[in-house]
Every structure is written in C-alpha cells, then in structure tokens.
Amino acid sequence: MSSLASYFPTLETARAHLPLPAGEPVSVERLAMLVVHAALIRRTSWAEDAEIAPAALERGEPPPPDDLEIHHHVRLDANLGGGPCTACTLTPGKRRCRVCGGSGTVFFTTCSCDGGFIVCPTCGGATKSNRVRLRYYTDTPAFLSEAYMPSHITAVPPLFGLESRLEQDIQFQQALPEELRCHDLTGRVAGSAYRGGERTVRPDFHGHDFGDTIDKALAGLSAIGAGASVVRHVIRAYAWPFLRVQWSMGEDLAIYVDRIGSMKVFGKNDVA
C-alpha cells in the first residue's frame, strides 16, 4: 500500500473483490477506528522534614526528563532554620561507630573507624545542621497502545466482534502507516447560515466519522495519568477507515482494508 487512497474502502472496489449482497444498500456509513500510541512521564512527589549538614540544595521542581526512563530527584522545599546538630550532642562532630559499637575493634581486628567514632553523617562534622523540608520526585513512564471503535457499532449484533477482528487485521499495536496519522483532533468552528452564528464541527478523517472514539481515547489517557502530574507526553493518533453498509434484507456488513492491503468484509456473510 503506497498511498492514502489505498486505505479507503469503497463499495465499488469491494464489489469487485467480495461476494456482497445484490442491489443497492439502504445505508452507507463512512467511519473510522481511532488508534492511539502514547508514552507519558508520570511524576509523583512526597516531602519529609530532615536535619542535614549546611549545603546548597537545588530548589524548585525538576525539569521534565528528555527520555522515557525512571528518574528520582530531591529538592529543597523549605528551610526551617539551623542550629546545633542534635545527632551528635554528646560527641560534637562525631558519632559512635555502628560496626564496632565504639570499641574500635571487630573480632580482635582494628576497625576502620577512628578509635570507635566516625564523622557525624548528619552534620558532616560541622556540629551545626539545618532543619529543612525535602521534597522527593519520581518520574515513571507509562505507555498506552489502544484502538477505539465507535460505540454504536459495538452494539450492532451482526457486527459483534468487528472491533477485535479489525484490531487483529491492522496489527494496531505496531507502528501504523504515517499516511493515517491524525495531527489535529480538536474539531473546528464553522460559520452558520443563521444570523452569522457559529458551530463546532466534529473532526473526521477525510469524511470518515470517528463517532465517540476521541472521547474514549481522552478518557483512556486521563486514566493512565490519574494520581500524578504528567510532565511529558508523546502521543500519536491514527485513523483506520471502514464502511458500515446496510441492505434492505437486514444485511449489515463492515468493509475495510487490512494491513497488507486486502479488502475484507465482516458481518453475517463474513468471508474474511
């Protein structure tokens, strides 16, 4: 498949390749499945008060990462004031060694500490420390690869299973053809013939209606970002067009082109 037009099924082309019911259909809906591939960075944070050695810690929230890996950050959230280090009150600037218990030896061997003491890890030996509020940040990637079918199609008995069949035939979890990329799904404002009014026109894909798939995709993206701040996202949306065709004898079929360019039909007379 080499051009955008190759992905659009037509009734005329389908009749040349598939055994469709005779006569003219009573209804033809031009619809599209929406496929979303997304990678998000979810940021969570928590704070604790701590006593640390006087030091220059960065303030403010870390910038968004440049990649899709897990990252951890710590920042100074508030300075609560300084004073004598409370961790080494009895031996200013030093702490009893926890390896040897202050004896200076371990199993008759000289301990690596200084006569049973080590430099106080809280104040770094300065005997003074700061009370601060530290904020910890964790950036975690989350991924979404989902296909969305217009809901009214999933409620049509002859088309039960169309969603899973189409997902399988287009291999939606793999990268899709760039020709089917949707760069703007926000809709547009159009003028009205009635007294110069305006109305919002729903987005479509070259005349193929998305139905409620955009709303469902937004809900899915919101769900994977829930409970966290999304600091980076990479989202790609694609349309896969198909036809819903109805005949007067109760025939209700879906016609589409699969991943390798073959015309397919799904419904009561499914011959795929």
Side-chain angles (χ1 to χ4, degrees):
M1 299 175 69
S2 59
S3 68
L4 177 61
S6 303
Y7 297 97
F8 289 92
T10 65
L11 193 56
E12 293 73 17
T13 304
R15 278 176 168 154
H17 295 85
L18 302 171
L20 299 181
E24 291 300 314
V26 296
S27 174
V28 177
E29 281 187 271
R30 302 171 68 191
L31 301 169
M33 173 179 273
L34 180 64
V35 177
V36 176
H37 294 167
L40 311 179
I41 293 293
R42 304 170 70 248
R43 172 169 289 174
T44 55
S45 71
W46 59 279
E48 70 169 353
D49 292 350
E51 188 176 12
I52 64 174
L57 290 177
E58 289 187 76
R59 290 179 176 267
E61 186 169 339
D66 296 326
D67 54 30
L68 296 173
E69 303 295 332
I70 296 178
H71 293 279
H72 302 281
H73 313 271
V74 59
R75 292 290 190 271
L76 180 63
D77 206 36
N79 196 326
L80 306 179
C85 178
T86 60
C88 58
T89 303
L90 299 179
T91 54
K94 296 182 179 182
R95 286 275 296 277
R96 189 181 299 275
C97 176
R98 294 180 179 177
V99 175
C100 66
S103 66
T105 59
V106 179
F107 297 116
F108 307 106
T109 301
T110 301
C111 184
S112 59
C113 63
D114 182 11
F117 291 88
I118 62 172
V119 174
C120 177
T122 300
C123 67
T127 72
K128 295 181 181 298
S129 64
N130 285 340
R131 291 292 300 171
V132 297
R133 179 165 295 124
L134 299 177
R135 182 163 293 276
Y136 299 88
Y137 296 89
T138 298
D139 294 340
T140 308
F143 302 94
L144 173 72
S145 181
E146 191 61 75
Y148 301 94
M149 176 70 70
S151 294
H152 75 283
I153 293 298
T154 63
V156 178
L159 300 182
F160 287 168
L162 171 62
E163 184 172 7
S164 59
R165 173 67 68 83
L166 191 52
E167 288 176 351
Q168 174 183 334
D169 283 350
I170 70 173
Q171 301 171 36
F172 78 95
Q173 292 182 325
Q174 299 182 21
L176 295 183
E178 192 63 21
E179 293 92 335
L180 300 178
R181 178 88 175 272
C182 303
H183 294 279
D184 185 6
L185 294 174
T186 58
R188 58 187 177 85
V189 176
S192 170
Y194 182 72
R195 296 184 180 179
E198 293 182 342
R199 60 188 176 88
T200 300
V201 178
R202 292 196 316 177
D204 61 27
F205 189 72
H206 299 278
H208 283 253
D209 187 12
F210 287 108
D212 62 349
T213 59
I214 297 174
D215 291 336
K216 292 198 288 187
L218 291 174
L221 290 169
S222 177
I224 66 171
S229 172
V230 176
V231 295
R232 182 171 182 242
H233 65 267
V234 179
I235 300 174
R236 289 177 175 264
Y238 302 86
W240 202 280
F242 68 96
L243 300 177
R244 178 200 179 182
V245 188
Q246 296 175 275
W247 277 266
S248 58
M249 298 301 293
E251 298 283 1
D252 203 330
L253 306 176
I255 300 170
Y256 60 94
V257 179
D258 69 8
R259 182 78 175 220
I260 62 175
S262 299
M263 189 74 66
K264 294 292 186 74
V265 62
F266 183 92
K268 182 178 179 181
N269 292 335
D270 185 8
V271 295

